[in-house]
Amino acid sequence: MTDLDAEIARAALLLQQGGIVAFPTETVYGLGGDATSDRAVARIFEAKGRPSFNPLISHVPDLAAARALGEFDERAERLAQVFWPGPLTLVVRRTKDCPVSLLATAGLDTLAIRVPAHPVAQKLLRAVGRPLAAPSANRSGQISPTTAEHVRQGLGAKVDMVIDGGPCTVGIESTIISCLGEAPVVLRPGGIAREDIATALGTAVQGLNADPLVPNAPGQLSSHYAPRAKMRLNAQAPMPDEAWLGFGPDPDEAAALPEDRRRNLSPSADPVEAAANLFRFMHELDASGAATIAVAPVPPRGLGEGINDRLRRAAAPATN
Ligand code: TXA
Ligand code: MG
């Protein structure tokens, strides 16, 4: 066993235990965590200092593993066959029993999936045996890291481990293609040229600004997750016919509600725990059938800022 193999084995163990590990891909270094663990995904957002929870890319070792997570239509299959493993990310619908954390997909019923080509990423994904959610391994607002040293400078002690696989060869992030609509759309230009994608499909592929109705920012194409129920934010207590999403100690009115109409993001007021539970609890309370979900105030400290951002978006009427 080489030193690198031993490092990969150690990283896989850390990841299976909910740790977060920076690892090389051919595009940029990723900050990986078990995509099926709400808690690990919340730790990724915390380490990045992201002001809002953008949906993350799930990384898997091959197309077979990808099919367990997302629905691949003919075009998605074609793109995967041609470009995977490689710097291409496909946005598809989640499968019915997709195990990926709702925090990783920001509550959406779609999923971004990528099969990286880097040999270290490949070995790591096979050793972990679970999809890894991995945004670029930089603090939010800083440039993406293409060496292990960049990661150490930017994230340092915030990550459990950095695997050094040398400099990244592509150096820019993957091209993201949405396969949700009538025609595939490039959501983010990246490591694979649009022309090459068009050639593989045998049709032209829209870029970001080709259609004024397609929003520009990746992650904005589908509307942000919004429950069917109305959201009443910064509530002190629920009314008897409302559902309750608490944070910190619950008021008596909440304890009086039936079990399916109350959740507490974090009884101990821990923002990391709250973020981990956020989208799952919103889905569960929505399923209770209550017309309104009353939400306790969440202080905007640490991940609390991202939680408030998502709560406000969920409270706003859907625009697309
Ligand atoms: O090359 C890369 O793609 C790197 C390496 C580590 O794989 N990863 C990366 O991840 O750049 P990140 O989190 O920095 O960018 C992911 C992008 C975000 O802009 C996000 O909005 C978009 O993917 N995205 C993720 N899920 C999506 C979804 N369901 N629908 C639309 N966009 C999505
Ligand atoms: Mg990034």
Side-chain angles (χ1 to χ4, degrees):
M1 212 193 224
T2 65
D3 285 356
L4 187 56
D5 284 339
E7 266 194 78
I8 292 171
R10 188 160 69 86
L13 208 61
L14 278 169
L15 287 161
Q16 285 165 347
Q17 294 163 348
I20 53 175
V21 171
F23 65 96
T25 82
E26 69 277 24
T27 58
V28 299
Y29 273 73
L31 175 54
D34 178 353
T36 68
S37 161
D38 294 326
R39 181 85 194 184
V41 174
R43 283 200 59 205
I44 293 174
F45 285 114
E46 187 195 36
K48 281 190 66 91
R50 275 209 173 164
S52 66
F53 304 130
N54 289 328
L56 303 180
I57 299 171
S58 288
H59 297 71
V60 290
D62 51 38
L63 177 54
R67 288 198 197 101
L69 307 181
E71 304 283 356
F72 283 70
D73 65 8
E74 212 179 302
R75 292 163 320 184
E77 278 283 335
R78 171 87 188 136
L79 291 173
Q81 301 279 2
V82 175
F83 295 108
W84 279 354
L88 180 74
T89 294
L90 296 174
V91 174
V92 295
R93 302 222 170 273
R94 291 172 69 115
T95 52
K96 195 159 56 62
D97 26 52
C98 173
V100 170
S101 154
L102 278 176
L103 180 61
T105 60
L108 299 171
D109 62 358
T110 60
L111 184 69
I113 312 182
R114 168 157 124 78
V115 175
H118 196 291
V120 172
Q122 276 286 330
K123 278 189 183 171
L124 181 66
L125 288 166
R126 285 177 201 283
V128 177
R130 294 179 208 167
L132 291 181
S136 50
N138 51 285
R139 296 278 298 171
S140 180
Q142 296 180 351
I143 53 170
S144 295
T146 52
T147 66
E149 191 48 36
H150 293 164
V151 180
R152 286 192 209 101
Q153 281 165 12
L155 293 175
K158 295 230 162 231
V159 297
D160 296 318
M161 185 178 167
V162 180
I163 307 178
D164 191 342
C168 302
T169 52
V170 177
I172 57 170
E173 288 95 337
S174 59
T175 301
I176 304 181
I177 309 269
S178 164
C179 297
L180 301 174
E182 291 274 291
V185 176
V186 177
L187 297 182
R188 178 179 74 183
I192 290 182
R194 178 142 64 100
E195 292 84 336
D196 294 338
I197 292 161
T199 303
L201 290 173
T203 63
V205 178
Q206 282 188 337
L208 276 184
N209 298 311
D211 181 344
L213 294 178
V214 176
N216 269 358
Q220 310 262 318
L221 185 71
S222 331
S223 77
H224 289 283
Y225 171 69
R228 181 198 46 77
K230 287 210 320 227
M231 307 273 290
R232 186 164 71 83
L233 304 186
N234 298 312
Q236 295 309 315
M239 316 277 204
D241 60 344
E242 289 180 329
W244 174 248
L245 187 60
F247 180 86
D250 270 338
D252 293 345
E253 293 90 332
L257 295 177
E259 203 278 329
D260 68 326
R261 274 204 273 130
R262 60 181 149 87
R263 293 287 181 275
N264 192 303
L265 291 170
S266 173
S268 65
D270 168 10
V272 178
E273 181 185 24
N277 289 326
L278 179 66
F279 289 103
R280 192 158 41 85
F281 284 0
M282 279 202 278
H283 276 271
E284 287 173 4
L285 291 177
D286 208 20
S288 77
T292 304
I293 302 171
V295 187
V298 179
R301 281 183 288 105
L303 287 189
E305 195 184 347
I307 294 172
N308 278 298
D309 171 79
R310 271 350 198 205
L311 285 171
R312 276 193 298 271
R313 289 174 195 272
T319 50
N320 60 1

